[in-house]
Amino acid sequence: MSRTIIAVVSDMVFASKIRATGEALGLGIKFPRTLEALISSAEEARPDLIVVDLHNEKPDPIDVATQLKENESLKAIRLVGFFSHVETELQRKAREAGYDQILPRSVFSRDLAEIMVQEAGADGRSR
């Protein structure tokens, strides 16, 4: 069974890095652009991990967490957000909304392959 990650990012640099890293690890990557597409994609693909740029305007990252964590069939999916380290209020809101892990952009970028391996089982291990 192929492992899947959903990435909610509008920044093309991060999208390219996520796509390249995922492909190198043999993961399927989906990039929905709306909250409705994200929910639909998550229900269909049953991803191992959802990563969200907390600076997205659409879909709103807080709405993303709220919708996923309120949905019985989706709330167990690991939800990781990344943000600019100076935005501590955004970090607090994301934590309250239900993100499982919140990382500064620099750490997310640096550790992306490790995050994908650990969270999505890209090395063949199950979480």
Side-chain angles (χ1 to χ4, degrees):
M1 183 169 128
S2 176
R3 300 291 198 168
T4 302
I5 291 177
I6 293 178
V8 182
V9 295
S10 54
D11 183 299
M12 295 308 294
V13 172
F14 280 100
S16 295
K17 184 171 179 81
I18 291 167
R19 181 180 309 282
T21 303
E23 287 175 356
L25 293 169
L27 298 168
I29 309 290
K30 295 181 179 265
F31 290 94
R33 296 195 178 269
T34 66
L35 183 57
E36 295 76 20
L38 167 63
I39 298 299
S40 176
S41 190
E43 288 174 338
E44 178 184 310
R46 297 291 181 207
D48 301 284
L49 174 66
I50 297 175
V51 295
V52 180
D53 181 345
L54 296 177
H55 293 279
N56 272 356
E57 291 184 19
K58 298 213 183 215
D60 178 86
I62 303 306
D63 289 344
V64 166
T66 301
Q67 292 291 320
L68 290 170
K69 296 303 180 178
E70 289 179 353
N71 185 317
E72 283 299 315
S73 66
L74 302 177
K75 70 181 183 180
I77 298 170
R78 186 93 171 137
L79 184 59
V80 174
F82 59 95
F83 73 109
S84 171
H85 73 280
V86 298
E87 298 286 338
T88 56
E89 181 65 14
L90 181 58
Q91 180 184 22
R92 182 191 62 76
K93 287 179 180 178
R95 183 168 285 112
E96 289 174 357
Y99 279 82
D100 298 300
Q101 186 175 16
I102 305 160
L103 302 167
R105 284 180 166 177
S106 59
V107 174
F108 177 79
S109 237
R110 180 192 72 207
D111 298 345
L112 181 57
E114 183 179 332
I115 292 165
M116 289 181 166
V117 167
Q118 288 178 344
E119 303 301 340
D123 62 350
R125 295 177 299 157
S126 296
R127 277 188 27 89

